[in-house]
């Protein structure tokens, strides 16, 4: 829904802050949906693909930029607006790569381009980022329960299962899987095996959330190029105070500005406040936000990781050395040992 459509329905239908957010996970899911659609439903339909081809490639390039900049790890409050799990995002992205990789002949050259973008990105930068986040005991974790100087690890099982699915989707069927990746996956699987059936192990997750999670997620304290009420009255955020922050205010950034100019804008106060520094989702005395948690999702992601892992074990005699070396058709593609 764009602004004109919303204004026609206002106040019965209201988009939060009257603007559309940019969420990395949503973009990754759109990429996945388009990939599956044109590999299956409308495979080879050039006319339909032409409608979305630029969007398809641009999303892949945007996500490449985000991963290379480490945005999901540095500013999840701004980049993962509705899906706060950074490992969810990497798995959403890895799914598209796995789907493209499983095809011998991609129907469109733009899909080949996206495949090359994802291949280079996920097997290098993304993999390294995921490996760096793994704990010594083999688990990954997000933020649930970790506050006041104590780690409770309430989302460790979920984060570990999703991180494993990411690595497995990136590296399965690859004859050159790095030893570090193999060892990481084995450690992660071992952690799940030792803990997932323990009734005292938390299976919580934050797979979805509200867009406002800390003071740093309020858009009004960031630079903008659009600031006016629904009736068209302009508002100068540099001089206005917080009494102007009402439901009728439309506040957004439209168009393009240079990095130098934008950095200058970030030093200015907006509605009397400077930009808030993001200090994590668990700030004591800070913001309380709603999130959705499902232990069933943790269980299903665990089973999915097991299935991908065990598929390799069924077709290799030496699983410890030959992990991730079977294609989806069951054909062994193990590299010969010297």
């Amino acid at each position: 829904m764009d602004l004109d459509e919303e204004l026609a329905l206002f106040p019965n239908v209201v988009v939060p802050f009257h603007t559309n957010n940019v969420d990395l996970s949503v973009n990754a899911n759109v990429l996945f949906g388009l990939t599956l659609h044109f590999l299956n439903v409308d495979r080879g339909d050039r006319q339909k693909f032409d409608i979305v081809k630029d969007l398809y490639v641009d999303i892949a390039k945007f996500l490449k930029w985000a991963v290379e900049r480490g945005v999901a790890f540095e500013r999840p409050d701004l980049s993962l607006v509705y899906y706060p799990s950074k490992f969810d995002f990497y798995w959403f992205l890895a799914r598209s790569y796995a789907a493209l990789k499983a095809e011998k002949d991609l129907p469109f050259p733009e899909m080949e381009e996206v495949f090359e973008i994802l291949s280079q990105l996920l097997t290098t930068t993304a993999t390294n980022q995921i490996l760096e986040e793994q704990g010594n005991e083999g688990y990954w974790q997000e933020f649930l329960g970790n506050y006041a100087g104590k780690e409770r690890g309430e989302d460790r099982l979920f984060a570990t299962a999703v991180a494993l699915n990411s690595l497995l989707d990136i590296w399965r069927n690859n004859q050159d899987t790095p030893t570090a990746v193999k060892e990481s996956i084995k450690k992660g699987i071992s952690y799940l095996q030792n803990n997932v059936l323990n009734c005292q192990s938390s299976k919580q997750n934050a797979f979805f959330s509200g867009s406002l999670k800390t003071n740093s997620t309020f858009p009004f304290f960031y630079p903008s190029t659009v600031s006016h009420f629904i009736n068209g009255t302009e508002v100068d955020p540099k001089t206005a105070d917080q009494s102007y922050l009402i439901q009728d205010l439309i506040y957004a950034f439209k168009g393009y500005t240079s990095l130098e100019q934008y950095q200058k804008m970030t030093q200015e106060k907006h509605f009397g406040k400077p930009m808030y520094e993001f200090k994590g989702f668990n700030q004591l005395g800070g913001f309380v936000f709603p999130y959705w948690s499902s232990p069933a999702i943790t269980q299903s992601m665990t089973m999915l990781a097991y299935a991908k892992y065990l598929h390799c074990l069924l077709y290799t005699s030496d699983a410890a050395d030959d992990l991730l070396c079977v294609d989806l058709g069951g054909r062994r593609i193990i590299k010969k040992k010297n």
Side-chain angles (χ1 to χ4, degrees):
M1 179 182 294
D2 61 25
L3 183 59
D4 290 337
E5 292 171 331
E6 187 210 5
L7 292 180
L9 299 172
F10 185 84
N12 298 314
V13 175
V14 179
V15 175
F17 303 113
H18 310 288
T19 55
N20 290 311
N21 294 313
V22 178
D23 184 301
L24 296 182
S25 290
V26 172
N27 276 270
N29 281 334
V30 170
L31 188 71
F32 183 58
L34 290 174
T35 296
L36 292 189
H37 183 84
F38 286 103
L39 288 180
N40 298 286
V41 180
D42 284 324
R43 185 182 181 91
D45 192 326
R46 183 74 233 190
Q47 185 175 3
K48 288 185 178 180
F49 186 75
D50 281 344
I51 298 173
V52 298
K53 66 177 183 179
D54 291 337
L55 174 68
Y56 186 69
V57 176
D58 286 347
I59 288 176
K61 291 180 178 179
F62 167 62
L63 295 176
K64 177 179 183 291
W65 170 86
V67 171
E68 290 178 341
R69 291 290 297 269
V71 173
F73 290 91
E74 293 180 6
R75 294 304 301 266
D77 57 322
L78 301 181
S79 61
L80 303 175
V81 182
Y82 297 109
Y83 299 86
S85 167
K86 51 185 174 288
F87 299 115
D88 246 354
F89 162 59
Y90 279 76
W91 177 58
F92 292 157
L93 194 52
R95 292 187 304 175
S96 293
Y97 176 55
L100 292 168
K101 184 170 57 172
E103 292 290 320
K104 292 183 178 179
D105 298 303
L106 294 174
F108 308 115
E110 292 85 357
M111 298 187 86
E112 292 281 0
E113 181 180 357
V114 168
F115 172 72
E116 291 301 324
I117 290 173
L118 296 182
S119 178
Q120 187 277 330
L121 177 69
L122 294 176
T123 58
T124 55
T125 305
T127 290
N128 292 334
Q129 290 171 343
I130 295 172
L131 295 182
E132 288 172 1
E133 291 290 311
Q134 189 176 28
N136 292 331
E137 296 178 22
Y139 62 76
W140 286 265
Q141 64 181 346
E142 303 274 5
F143 60 89
L144 288 185
N146 299 338
Y147 61 91
K150 184 175 181 179
E151 288 192 357
R152 298 167 180 82
E154 294 176 2
D155 53 22
R156 284 180 184 172
L157 290 175
F158 171 76
T160 300
V162 178
L164 284 171
N165 275 285
S166 302
L167 291 175
L168 287 161
D169 279 346
I170 293 170
W171 289 100
R172 62 181 175 180
N173 313 330
N174 192 315
Q175 296 185 18
D176 299 313
T177 303
T179 300
V181 173
K182 296 180 181 181
E183 293 300 320
S184 175
I185 291 174
K186 286 191 288 185
K187 287 174 63 177
I189 289 292
S190 178
Y191 181 82
L192 290 180
Q193 289 175 326
N194 293 332
N195 293 277
V196 75
L197 296 180
N198 185 340
C199 62
Q200 295 182 342
S201 295
S202 171
K203 299 174 181 64
Q204 298 301 312
N205 49 64
F207 73 87
F208 192 78
S209 73
S211 59
L212 294 178
K213 289 186 276 295
T214 71
N215 289 328
S216 68
T217 57
F218 277 98
F220 306 115
F221 307 130
Y222 289 88
S224 75
T225 57
V226 176
S227 180
H228 60 79
F229 291 122
I230 285 179
N231 65 9
T233 302
E234 294 290 334
V235 177
D236 185 353
K238 298 178 184 177
T239 59
D241 58 30
Q242 294 185 46
S243 65
Y244 284 78
L245 304 182
I246 61 176
Q247 188 182 37
D248 289 358
L249 180 65
I250 298 173
Y251 191 79
F253 201 101
K254 182 179 181 180
Y256 170 82
T257 188
S258 68
L259 178 60
E260 180 182 1
Q261 177 62 23
Y262 185 79
Q263 289 176 335
K264 180 180 178 181
M265 295 168 71
T266 63
Q267 303 305 311
E268 302 168 340
K269 290 185 177 181
H270 302 84
F271 297 100
K273 289 283 188 180
M275 284 175 48
Y276 279 94
E277 181 183 355
F278 177 62
K279 298 181 180 179
F281 290 130
N282 293 329
Q283 301 177 50
L284 291 180
F287 206 85
V288 176
F289 66 91
Y291 67 88
W292 285 253
S293 181
S294 171
I297 290 181
T298 298
Q299 295 280 24
S300 62
M301 292 303 299
T302 298
M303 289 188 288
L304 186 60
Y306 280 163
K308 294 171 184 175
Y309 180 78
L310 291 174
H311 181 84
C312 291
L313 303 190
L314 289 173
Y315 290 92
T316 57
S317 58
D318 187 354
D321 292 333
D322 295 329
L323 179 63
L324 309 179
C325 54
V326 180
D327 69 13
L328 293 176
R331 296 183 296 274
R332 296 185 62 175
I333 53 174
I334 303 172
K335 291 179 67 176
K336 293 183 178 180
K337 298 178 182 178
N338 295 324

